[in-house]
Amino acid sequence: MNAISPTLAKMHGRKVTVHYGSKQALFDVDLDVPERMVTALIGPSGCGKSTFLRCLNRMNDVIDGCKVGGEITLDGQDIYDPKLDVVMLRARIGMVFQKPNPFPKSIYDNVAYGPRIHGMAGTKGELDEIVRGSLEKAGLWKEVKERLDQPGTGLSGGQQQRLCIARAIAVSPEVILMDEPCSALDPIATAKIEELIDELRENFTIVIVTHSMQQAARVSQKTAFFHLGQLIEWGDTEQIFTSPKDERTQGYITGRFG
Amino acid sequence: MDHARLKRPDLSEARIRGRYAAERRFRFYGQFAVGLAIAMLGVLLFSVCSKGYSAFYRAEIALDIMLDPAVITPDGKSDADTLASADYQGLVKEALKAQFPEVTSRGDRKNLFNLVSNGAGNSVRQAVLADPGLIGSTQRIWVVAADDMDMLAKGFIKRDLPESERVVSDTQIGWYDKLDAAGQLRTAFNAVFLSAGDSREPEQAGILGALMGSIFTMLVTVLLALPLGVMSAIYLEEFAPKNRVTEIIEVNINNLAAVPSIVFGLLGLAVLLGVFGLPRSAPLVGGMVLALMTLPTIIIATRAALKAVPPSIREAAYGIGASPLQVVSHHVLPLATPGIMTGAIIGLARALGESAPLLMIGMVAFIVDVPHWPTDPATVLPVQIYLWADSPERAFIEKTSAGIMVLLAFLISMNAIAIFVRRKFERRW
Amino acid sequence: MVRQRGFLGFHRFWVSLLPGLIFAGLALAALPAAARDQIHIVGSSTVYPFSTAVAEHFSQTGFKAPVVESTGTGGGLKLFCAGVGESFPDIANASRPIKEGEVADCQKNGVSEIVEVEIGYDGIVLASAKNAPPRALGIRDLYLALAKDVPVNGVLLANPYSLWSEINPALPAQKIEVLGPPPTSGTRDAFLELVMEKACHAFPEIAAIPDDKLRKAKCQTLREDGAYIDAGENDNLIVQKLSANAAAFGVLGYSFLADNQDLLQGSTMDGVAPSEDNIINGSYEVARKLYIYVKKQHRAIVPGLAEFVAEFVSERASGPQGYLADKGMVPMPIAEHQQVAAAVLAALPVASTLGASLDLGASSVLLPWVAGGLLLLLSSVGFQLGRRRAFASVRGATRQLHSLPGYHGIFVGLGAFLPGALALLLGAVLASFLPGDARTGHDVIWAAIAAATLGAAAIGLAWAQRHVSANFRARNAVERMTMVLLIVCSLLSILTTVGIVLSLVFEAMRFFAQVSVFEFLFGLQWSPQMAIRADQVGQSGAFGAIPVFAGTLLITVIAMVVAVPVGLMSAIYLSDYASRRTRAWAKPLIEILAGIPTVVYGFFAALTVAPLIRGFGASIGLDVASESALAAGLVMGVMIIPFISSLSDDVMNAVPQAMRDGAFALGATKSETIRQVVVPAALPGIMGGVLLAVSRAIGETMIVVMAAGLTANLTANPLEAVTTVTVQIVTLLVGDQEFDSPKTLAAFALGLLLFIITLILNIVALRIVKKYREQYE
């Protein structure tokens, strides 16, 4: 395990456990998320990678009967500290979901929603600016600038997902969590999103859960392999894919199971 | 390209505090709404129960009644018929006269006799029929007090009002107090209320006639609506081709479910009574009208229950070579039964509380006899409540509320059964 | 082992039809009106308490207690005159003498021998709350207070008075507010005749009107600006309302005053107090006679008819000290009573040969049952035969059969049952339409029907039995029949709709033949007070439905103002905020509100909420009508809360969790998520639900019948009394209507309009909800 120095890491997970009711879904996961890099979480279905991802912005709070143990920090601050405000936390850690989930509002309103609730824009002009900037960053501006007032649900799947990314980055989060963002998309749309992720790396710390090992290899700098609720191995993507230390990692990567 | 970077979320304390205040307010609105709804229920139930509980007991007066053989068995025969039809009310009056010998004038005597119910003789009759050996002796028998005395005993008639403003006179109160002081007055459980039909005398009025009417009406409704509704739902959900006709049927059923109940009453009046000449006031007709009203509810509930059975079960059955009807009757229908039952019970509970359509077909009537058959004239619980609310005697107010309590108890037990069925047999796929 | 569960399951399916079959038998038994052994009484609501009291005493003499319906005098006489026979009433209660037109109608239908029985008097009193200062009124004061047009300085003007003191300086400076019976009531007729008419002839301006009809009209038309409030037939509710409102007067029958002496006081009328003595000796002039009309021809039809009438006129009942006096009737003086009793006993002698009619129908009542029973028996025999034959055809080797033996059995059983049932049903329908005295021919007809039924069943059985063979596809045949049955069932709902539409349209057409559609739809005045009877002239009969619908709308809007926010917020709180335990008890509690019968809400609205609102209004100086739209609307709103809350719960649950996650992930708080994402997303669904609730509020009947008014006010003020469509339907159909008058028919026209409006609302609402659902599926 080549733990990187804590100062470089944006987020730390230490002995993270998750129980759904009486069923344990994560076992003592230690994982650091380095700043301004893409960390990919891979592993077979039900291995706990999505669960871990949802721990990072406390989305598990929404689920009844879910208990999270251990410690997760953001910039050294415990995000499960009862005093910490989850609303503030989520403003700093954005999330993009597996299935595109635009609100049934206009494209503009979808992106402007976050800035509005967080009071980021004093004037209409500023808000326009944020929306435009976010859509540009998400690579969607050119396609939608003529129809900002049309419903977000009318876009194609790939566009919807980029809209969701634009929505997430509109609040300028420090970290963006992506939960299999391309699983519902065709290869062309997927390629666009991957390209986008690569660009976003400049400004954001990104954690992405993916089923596709090729995708992990393409977009990430760090990769972590989960299996049966445990973190088996993590490190530089290249190293994981070329010379994995654990034979389970090896097996998964070479397609012997999963 | 980096201009959005300049904007950061406003995470200042003040703003967050404001947002949380809004959050709390919103939450409070929610709590308030729930509280308001439940408080309304509470107020309603309280106002009914506080008015109605007193109908379950009644005032009784003990009188030393001389069971005069000359009155009970005038011609010396003591067969059951003679014993049953004797003038026991007369004996009660004699006893009252004996108790208050000072009352002589005709008007005063009438007032005196008004202390006891018109049905007071029944208690004496029962005593004599139970033991004919008592004839000839003097017995202390508890007889039912008149409704005015009952109201006085329960404190609903204020003594401090001037005499002219009360229904009971000072002399009557005097007699009442005398009886009370002599221990000849008590309040006891009012069994009549649960065992008799309607009556013009509040102290003799009972809910059983209406209850039986409701039961017969519901019986007819169940027998009609359940099989027809279930079969109709099976066809629509499992077999009907998707075409214009079935679409019209579907839209039509959904609409019927929301048609005002009084319209079904108009239908019953025009068609069942008008065209087919069915009898007025009969639970049979009431049940038919309510069945038509409940049918859409049952169809919708049944379809939902059928839909909830996963297709895999059907596919499995088809796979072994079952015919479509076999698939439905062997697999789908049994699995959907709990859902159908809950839907049906809820629909029937609604029918049970319904009165508007029944007003249209003559089920508002004064009926003393407890019905024994669905074609006997009868009324139903909600209509009985409506009728009692209409009666001039004060004592009927408590009867009305008590009637409501019985109806609610009936309804709550039906709903409890529905909940029980749902909990017990519910299956998650 | 082959005739296993599969077959059993199917068998069960058919067995489940049995209740339906039993029911069909039941209906058949009822179709030929079964012999009646109970007297049936209809008519006036004023006489109702007295008839019921006599009925009850009568039942203690060994006869079955008569059934008494309160249909109003006119409605009662209509039913009474409709014909002779078991399905027509025997006695009509009336609070006025029968009219010539009604007698003619009776004659036309063969009701030729009617015995009129005077039973006593009813006084009409002007009552007010006990705590109000006692007031001495005169009929002149009442006329000036309540007539629509009154003479002022020699000319007839629209009634200008709003305070009692303006009419008579001796009276207090209080607002004129009189609660009284609606136009459908006999009490109202009497009030118009005994007070209004009498007083108005004293004015020279009125006497100068040459035209009799117009004069009568001027005298009898009550004002419609809210000073006179139609308060429903339910006099007990008037009592409650009066005791809660010291300023108001109520027009009541004397019995209600007598029974509520501790709550009410009667005003003296021209110096005479309303008392029993004064009514009998004629000094209290606002009194009328009460009658019952007996159909003499029915002595042979119902046992005890003469005995019942004898009981009615007996001294212990209607005599001066009789029990009817206890019930508030004012008895006739003793001499007059004896005279009446003697005359009635002579006209209707108590026959010694009763009960003869009872036996006559006994066998004919049984016959339909016998026929039905034999049919079921034959069907099950067919089942056994079919099964055996199937077994026999392959010598027990059931594998060689195409269908299981049970299917052959069902096939043969149905082969017998279906033709038999058809014959039975047709026969029953035909029998009920046979003209003439069905009674004598009854046995013969039913014997014929029973024979036809069995014959048809036997032929069907033989035919089906011949089909049974190894290769016969019995299962397919049975399944086809089942399918036909299922299709027929699902067509029943269409039939219901058609029935509703036809019955409404048919009667409404007759209404529109007398009143133009345009007037009905766009008329601004609704006062169906007239065209009631030929002699009851006057009163501007107006059938403009707009005020009625406006009233309905007002109450609906109030209900929605209560129900939508409360229902929506409860749904939100319970689904998103409340802990599981809170939800577990709070949700069912709220749902109980939906299960409470509307008659209970009506009682609650009229007796608890309305006085409360009135009292509150009075304490802050607001003038609230006793039957304010507000009270009915509020209570209706409470009733609708669970409806809205469960519907919005449904639609909000249909909003995908991903949508909520999206908002949460952006750092939105719960309330921000709900308000800005979930509710907007669910809005179409919520709107659909609200529309359904509106349609339910519009069609709600009992709450408004008991708590809303009867006067059609065109107002938007929730503190005033308004009327609704359903109230009008009930009043028009349960009141003292004349046959085939526009009034009765107006009820059907209103019903049709109600049906159409709710239909449109429902279609729109269901469509919206469906579209919404599809969006997320």
Side-chain angles (χ1 to χ4, degrees):
Chain A
M1 294 252 171
N2 51 344
I4 49 172
S5 108
T7 48
L8 277 177
K10 183 75 180 169
M11 297 185 80
H12 297 278
R14 287 292 173 266
K15 290 201 175 299
V16 178
T17 61
V18 173
H19 288 83
Y20 289 117
S22 58
K23 190 174 161 282
Q24 187 162 8
L26 273 190
F27 300 86
D28 296 333
V29 173
D30 292 347
L31 183 69
D32 292 342
V33 177
E35 191 161 13
R36 299 205 188 188
M37 281 193 196
V38 178
T39 304
L41 311 181
I42 60 170
S45 299
C47 66
K49 54 193 192 299
S50 286
T51 304
F52 181 75
L53 187 77
R54 293 171 73 91
C55 289
L56 295 179
N57 72 340
R58 289 181 57 180
M59 277 306 275
N60 284 330
D61 289 14
V62 181
I63 299 166
D64 267 348
C66 178
K67 278 212 315 274
V68 179
E71 187 191 49
I72 301 175
T73 60
L74 173 68
D75 291 338
Q77 184 188 13
D78 181 5
I79 66 168
Y80 279 91
D81 183 344
K83 275 178 283 182
L84 178 123
D85 180 23
V86 69
V87 167
M88 274 210 223
L89 175 77
R90 290 186 189 143
R92 294 173 62 195
I93 305 178
M95 185 160 185
V96 175
F97 297 84
Q98 193 168 0
K99 238 180 102 198
N101 59 347
F103 300 138
K105 297 170 182 274
S106 71
I107 294 171
Y108 183 93
D109 285 338
N110 258 289
V111 183
Y113 179 71
R116 276 197 186 122
I117 59 171
H118 293 296
M120 287 166 59
T123 65
K124 174 90 171 90
E126 282 176 37
L127 191 61
D128 286 351
E129 202 53 33
I130 294 175
V131 170
R132 186 193 163 129
S134 310
L135 284 170
E136 276 173 349
K137 278 191 207 154
L140 197 59
W141 177 247
K142 285 200 195 94
E143 291 159 62
V144 301
K145 64 181 177 193
E146 303 298 329
R147 45 172 175 156
L148 288 175
D149 55 346
Q150 282 174 23
T153 44
L155 297 172
S156 75
Q159 288 172 322
Q160 284 192 12
Q161 194 62 300
R162 277 180 283 151
L163 177 65
C164 291
I165 293 173
R167 186 175 69 189
I169 56 184
V171 290
S172 310
E174 295 153 42
V175 183
I176 300 178
L177 309 176
M178 297 188 174
D179 188 0
E180 300 187 38
C182 303
S183 66
L185 306 181
D186 62 57
I188 296 171
T190 303
K192 280 197 172 160
I193 302 274
E194 286 179 4
E195 225 172 279
L196 176 61
I197 291 172
D198 210 41
E199 285 170 19
L200 292 174
R201 183 157 60 93
E202 290 177 25
N203 296 322
F204 304 99
T205 304
I206 293 172
V207 184
I208 178 169
V209 166
T210 175
H211 249 118
S212 149
M213 280 166 294
Q214 289 82 354
Q215 187 173 58
R218 282 195 298 267
V219 302
S220 70
Q221 286 74 48
K222 297 281 178 190
T223 297
F225 173 64
F226 282 74
H227 185 54
L228 295 176
Q230 277 169 321
L231 176 62
I232 305 301
E233 183 172 358
W234 79 283
D236 289 338
T237 302
E238 228 186 284
Q239 176 252 317
I240 295 279
F241 278 89
T242 50
S243 51
K245 289 179 180 139
D246 194 287
E247 65 183 46
R248 284 170 292 184
T249 320
Q250 173 85 32
Y252 181 69
I253 287 167
T254 53
R256 264 190 279 127
F257 71 91
Chain B
M1 186 69 189
D2 210 10
H3 37 260
R5 225 37 225 137
L6 303 173
K7 302 282 174 205
R8 297 288 309 159
D10 177 0
L11 296 177
S12 70
E13 189 128 327
R15 198 184 140 76
I16 291 284
R17 218 183 294 132
R19 285 172 65 195
Y20 274 112
E23 172 80 20
R24 274 193 304 277
R25 270 200 306 280
F26 191 72
R27 190 191 164 93
F28 169 75
Y29 295 148
Q31 277 169 333
F32 180 74
V34 172
L36 191 70
I38 291 176
M40 274 306 191
L41 179 69
V43 169
L44 195 144
L45 292 183
F46 176 78
S47 83
V48 165
C49 292
S50 64
K51 278 188 191 128
Y53 76 96
S54 55
F56 290 98
Y57 62 89
R58 64 175 181 192
E60 293 180 354
I61 294 172
L63 290 174
D64 297 319
I65 295 171
M66 167 61 196
L67 299 172
D68 188 351
V71 174
I72 301 174
T73 54
D75 42 9
K77 283 187 288 185
S78 57
D79 56 298
D81 261 6
T82 320
L83 288 186
S85 60
D87 179 15
Y88 294 101
Q89 193 70 22
L91 291 179
V92 174
K93 289 181 178 173
E94 288 304 319
L96 275 168
K97 273 195 229 170
Q99 174 111 23
F100 298 99
E102 70 277 13
V103 181
T104 50
S105 86
R106 199 187 150 97
D108 281 351
R109 280 235 171 112
K110 194 179 152 192
N111 281 335
L112 179 62
F113 297 156
N114 278 347
L115 289 185
V116 296
S117 159
N118 272 324
N122 293 339
S123 317
V124 186
R125 180 182 296 131
Q126 276 163 17
V128 172
L129 287 179
D131 181 7
L134 296 176
I135 298 174
S137 64
T138 298
Q139 293 291 327
R140 173 160 284 207
I141 295 173
W142 288 98
V143 300
V144 187
D147 56 325
D148 290 339
M149 293 303 118
D150 191 40
M151 291 288 101
L152 189 65
K154 290 171 183 171
F156 293 135
I157 292 178
K158 293 194 185 70
R159 285 161 181 257
D160 48 6
L161 284 172
E163 183 179 9
S164 60
E165 300 180 5
R166 283 189 246 111
V167 268
V168 291
S169 64
D170 281 347
T171 17
Q172 280 180 315
I173 291 184
W175 295 326
Y176 172 90
D177 289 340
K178 233 181 226 170
L179 287 170
D180 200 5
Q184 284 174 272
L185 205 86
R186 71 169 184 196
T187 52
F189 177 66
N190 186 2
V192 166
F193 184 70
L194 296 176
S195 63
D198 196 6
S199 169
R200 289 300 309 155
E201 312 294 333
E203 75 276 4
Q204 291 177 51
I207 196 84
L208 186 66
L211 192 67
M212 290 308 290
S214 272
I215 289 174
F216 281 128
T217 308
M218 284 301 109
L219 212 62
V220 174
T221 307
V222 174
L223 290 183
L224 255 185
L226 196 60
L228 290 177
V230 170
M231 288 197 280
S232 170
I234 289 176
Y235 177 72
L236 291 174
E237 188 62 39
E238 302 286 333
F239 301 118
K242 294 277 165 269
N243 59 22
R244 276 209 87 82
V245 179
T246 46
E247 196 182 320
I248 290 173
I249 295 181
E250 277 205 56
V251 171
N252 178 53
I253 287 173
N254 285 331
N255 279 318
L256 273 184
V259 163
S261 59
I262 192 168
V263 171
F264 287 96
L266 291 175
L267 173 73
L269 175 66
V271 174
L272 296 179
L273 298 189
V275 177
F276 291 113
L278 293 180
R280 289 177 74 81
S281 315
L284 178 74
V285 183
M288 288 164 102
V289 169
L290 293 183
L292 290 181
M293 196 191 85
T294 322
L295 203 54
T297 319
I298 293 186
I299 294 177
I300 292 170
T302 306
R303 293 190 64 177
L306 292 173
K307 212 178 252 166
V309 177
S312 58
I313 303 258
R314 294 183 182 84
E315 282 157 11
Y318 281 123
I320 346 174
S323 74
L325 262 173
Q326 285 172 326
V327 171
V328 171
S329 57
H330 299 172
H331 300 282
V332 181
L333 199 56
L335 290 173
T337 304
I340 296 173
M341 292 319 289
T342 357
I345 294 172
I346 287 169
L348 290 175
R350 197 183 138 207
L352 177 64
E354 196 56 73
S355 36
L358 302 181
L359 297 185
M360 304 279 106
I361 55 164
M363 287 191 87
V364 269
F366 173 73
I367 294 155
V368 175
D369 296 315
V370 176
H372 296 293
W373 192 248
T375 51
D376 287 347
T379 182
V380 293
L381 286 170
V383 176
Q384 184 70 70
I385 289 163
Y386 177 69
L387 278 173
W388 278 347
D390 205 7
S391 305
E393 289 84 359
R394 289 283 293 293
F396 271 121
I397 292 181
E398 66 169 27
K399 299 281 185 260
T400 310
S401 301
I404 292 175
M405 288 164 74
V406 171
L407 176 58
L408 290 183
F410 200 157
L411 277 175
I412 288 172
S413 46
M414 275 181 85
N415 280 305
I417 292 173
I419 291 170
F420 174 77
V421 169
R422 187 162 53 198
R423 291 253 164 96
K424 173 111 194 195
F425 299 106
E426 193 174 46
R427 214 183 294 241
R428 291 253 173 218
W429 301 100
Chain C
M1 285 303 99
V2 187
R3 22 186 317 257
Q4 51 329 56
R5 314 180 28 95
F7 161 66
L8 276 179
F10 203 73
H11 189 56
R12 247 197 331 251
F13 175 72
W14 275 100
V15 167
S16 72
L17 293 181
L18 221 71
L21 303 182
I22 294 171
F23 170 78
L26 247 169
L28 290 177
L31 267 176
R36 191 149 59 78
D37 53 359
Q38 279 166 311
I39 297 171
H40 188 183
I41 305 172
V42 294
S44 161
S45 52
T46 315
V47 184
Y48 172 86
F50 313 132
S51 285
T52 49
V54 178
E56 195 167 350
H57 279 269
F58 179 64
S59 73
Q60 286 161 8
T61 63
F63 286 94
K64 282 199 91 172
V67 171
V68 190
E69 257 188 88
S70 167
T71 61
T73 303
L77 284 169
K78 176 188 175 185
L79 289 166
F80 179 80
C81 287
V84 178
E86 276 165 357
S87 37
F88 305 101
D90 315 304
I91 295 177
N93 294 326
S95 54
R96 54 166 171 82
I98 192 168
K99 310 276 175 189
E100 267 170 37
E102 287 162 340
V103 174
D105 202 70
C106 270
Q107 299 279 1
K108 203 177 73 200
N109 293 321
V111 185
S112 50
E113 297 173 74
I114 307 171
V115 180
E116 180 184 84
V117 182
E118 283 176 31
I119 55 167
Y121 295 88
D122 182 38
I124 290 172
V125 296
L126 260 281
S128 54
K130 194 87 220 181
N131 54 358
R135 277 165 289 194
L137 291 173
I139 57 172
R140 184 180 179 278
D141 303 327
L142 279 172
Y143 167 70
L144 289 177
L146 297 178
K148 190 170 183 188
D149 298 312
V150 292
V152 180
N153 305 326
V155 273
L156 279 177
L157 290 178
N159 197 325
Y161 306 116
S162 61
L163 300 177
W164 287 105
S165 54
E166 292 165 0
I167 295 167
N168 183 347
L171 293 171
Q174 240 167 357
K175 203 183 133 197
I176 298 173
E177 190 176 4
V178 177
L179 297 164
T184 48
S185 147
T187 312
R188 162 109 155 207
D189 282 358
F191 178 73
L192 294 180
E193 230 164 84
L194 298 170
V195 175
M196 302 299 284
E197 177 111 28
K198 213 150 135 199
C200 92
H201 284 298
F203 290 89
E205 295 89 336
I206 297 280
I209 298 175
D211 181 25
D212 267 1
K213 280 195 165 182
L214 185 61
R215 195 167 59 228
K216 208 166 176 186
K218 287 293 176 199
C219 286
Q220 293 204 350
T221 310
L222 295 182
R223 59 201 288 191
E224 286 154 2
D225 56 0
Y228 181 86
I229 300 153
D230 285 342
E233 297 270 12
N234 189 334
D235 289 347
N236 210 31
L237 287 179
I238 299 188
V239 171
Q240 302 285 333
K241 284 167 186 160
L242 284 178
S243 61
N245 175 6
F249 283 98
V251 177
L252 290 172
Y254 174 75
S255 56
F256 283 84
L257 176 67
D259 261 335
N260 294 283
Q261 281 172 10
D262 54 335
L263 294 175
L264 301 181
Q265 56 175 335
S267 309
T268 59
M269 197 62 71
D270 292 317
V272 186
S275 71
E276 213 165 283
D277 294 340
N278 290 341
I279 293 172
I280 296 174
N281 66 30
S283 59
Y284 186 81
E285 291 184 322
V286 193
R288 59 175 164 174
K289 271 194 176 163
L290 302 176
Y291 305 85
I292 60 172
Y293 290 91
V294 187
K295 207 180 278 178
K296 200 172 170 184
Q297 290 141 303
H298 273 199
R299 264 190 315 167
I301 291 179
V302 193
L305 188 59
E307 287 81 354
F308 175 74
V309 179
E311 168 76 26
F312 219 128
V313 297
S314 72
E315 201 186 326
R316 75 175 185 134
S318 54
Q321 303 289 327
Y323 55 77
L324 290 185
D326 293 344
K327 289 278 151 205
M329 187 183 78
V330 179
M332 288 175 273
I334 189 127
E336 193 186 346
H337 180 260
Q338 280 166 353
Q339 204 182 332
V340 166
V344 168
L345 289 177
L348 268 177
V350 175
S352 53
T353 55
L354 53 98
S357 61
L358 258 177
D359 311 325
L360 214 130
S363 60
S364 56
V365 171
L366 276 179
L367 266 172
W369 288 94
V370 172
L374 281 177
L375 178 59
L376 284 180
L377 193 73
L378 204 59
S379 307
S380 56
V381 167
F383 173 76
Q384 291 296 339
L385 284 178
R387 213 168 53 133
R388 294 234 172 109
R389 189 178 168 121
F391 265 114
S393 68
V394 290
R395 296 190 189 76
T398 46
R399 290 230 58 123
Q400 293 172 23
L401 283 171
H402 168 272
S403 309
L404 295 172
Y407 281 110
H408 291 275
I410 294 178
F411 178 75
V412 178
L414 281 178
F417 180 79
L418 292 179
L422 196 68
L424 189 58
L425 202 72
L426 274 180
V429 171
L430 279 180
S432 74
F433 281 111
L434 274 187
D437 187 7
R439 173 171 283 284
T440 43
H442 201 227
D443 283 0
V444 183
I445 293 168
W446 272 99
I449 293 174
T453 305
L454 293 183
I459 293 171
L461 192 150
W463 173 83
Q465 182 76 347
R466 275 189 37 212
H467 272 74
V468 174
S469 71
N471 291 326
F472 177 58
R473 306 182 162 205
R475 178 173 57 72
N476 305 45
V478 169
E479 288 190 346
R480 262 199 309 280
M481 283 193 253
T482 312
M483 201 59 81
V484 169
L485 181 81
L486 293 182
I487 292 174
V488 168
C489 285
S490 59
L491 287 177
L492 189 75
S493 67
I494 295 273
L495 209 64
T496 310
T497 311
V498 170
I500 289 175
V501 171
L502 279 187
S503 56
L504 293 179
V505 165
F506 183 69
E507 304 284 329
M509 289 298 276
R510 290 167 63 197
F511 171 75
F512 289 127
Q514 300 182 43
V515 177
S516 85
V517 180
F518 187 80
E519 190 200 326
F520 179 69
L521 287 181
F522 302 106
L524 290 180
Q525 247 224 331
W526 177 267
S527 52
Q529 331 195 338
M530 64 132 292
I532 309 182
R533 286 194 298 277
D535 60 300
Q536 198 187 27
V537 270
Q539 324 234 350
S540 46
F543 293 94
I546 295 261
V548 181
F549 276 92
T552 311
L553 200 66
L554 178 61
I555 290 185
T556 305
V557 166
I558 296 170
M560 288 303 134
V561 166
V562 176
V564 172
V566 177
L568 195 57
M569 283 312 294
S570 322
I572 289 172
Y573 181 77
L574 288 181
S575 64
D576 281 319
Y577 284 99
S579 68
R580 197 182 289 242
R581 278 183 53 199
T582 316
R583 191 161 52 231
W585 61 261
K587 215 169 165 176
L589 269 187
I590 291 182
E591 274 162 12
I592 288 181
L593 280 176
I596 289 179
T598 53
V599 68
V600 178
Y601 281 112
F603 191 64
F604 181 63
L607 293 189
T608 309
V609 179
L612 219 73
I613 293 177
R614 219 200 127 76
F616 181 71
S619 72
I620 58 169
L622 264 179
D623 188 42
V624 184
S626 309
E627 300 179 305
S628 60
L630 191 60
L634 283 181
V635 173
M636 197 186 284
V638 172
M639 182 192 86
I640 304 243
I641 288 173
F643 196 72
I644 301 254
S645 104
S646 73
L647 271 172
S648 32
D649 196 37
D650 275 359
V651 295
M652 286 193 297
N653 274 336
V655 174
Q657 182 62 29
M659 213 77 95
R660 294 185 170 87
D661 286 351
F664 286 138
L666 287 173
T669 62
K670 221 173 204 178
S671 69
E672 284 161 351
T673 306
I674 292 165
R675 271 184 298 150
Q676 294 158 4
V677 175
V678 179
V679 171
L683 200 60
I686 294 173
M687 282 308 297
V690 170
L691 281 187
L692 280 181
V694 165
S695 131
R696 170 169 278 207
I698 289 178
E700 171 46 42
T701 308
M702 293 316 286
I703 294 181
V704 283
V705 163
M706 296 175 86
L710 285 167
T711 326
N713 274 333
L714 194 52
T715 175
N717 181 354
L719 303 181
E720 279 183 45
V722 295
T723 190
T724 75
V725 179
T726 47
V727 172
Q728 289 301 322
I729 294 178
V730 170
T731 326
L732 292 173
L733 284 181
V734 189
D736 278 4
Q737 77 277 31
E738 181 82 357
F739 353 113
D740 305 338
S741 72
K743 272 188 68 174
T744 323
L745 299 174
F748 287 91
L750 284 176
L752 182 65
L753 207 51
L754 180 69
F755 180 73
I756 293 174
I757 289 179
T758 49
L759 188 75
I760 293 172
L761 274 174
N762 297 340
I763 290 182
V764 171
L766 291 168
R767 195 153 275 193
I768 294 177
V769 172
K770 198 173 163 209
K771 267 227 167 101
Y772 164 79
R773 288 253 159 81
E774 280 164 0
Q775 186 190 332
Y776 291 116
E777 256 164 21

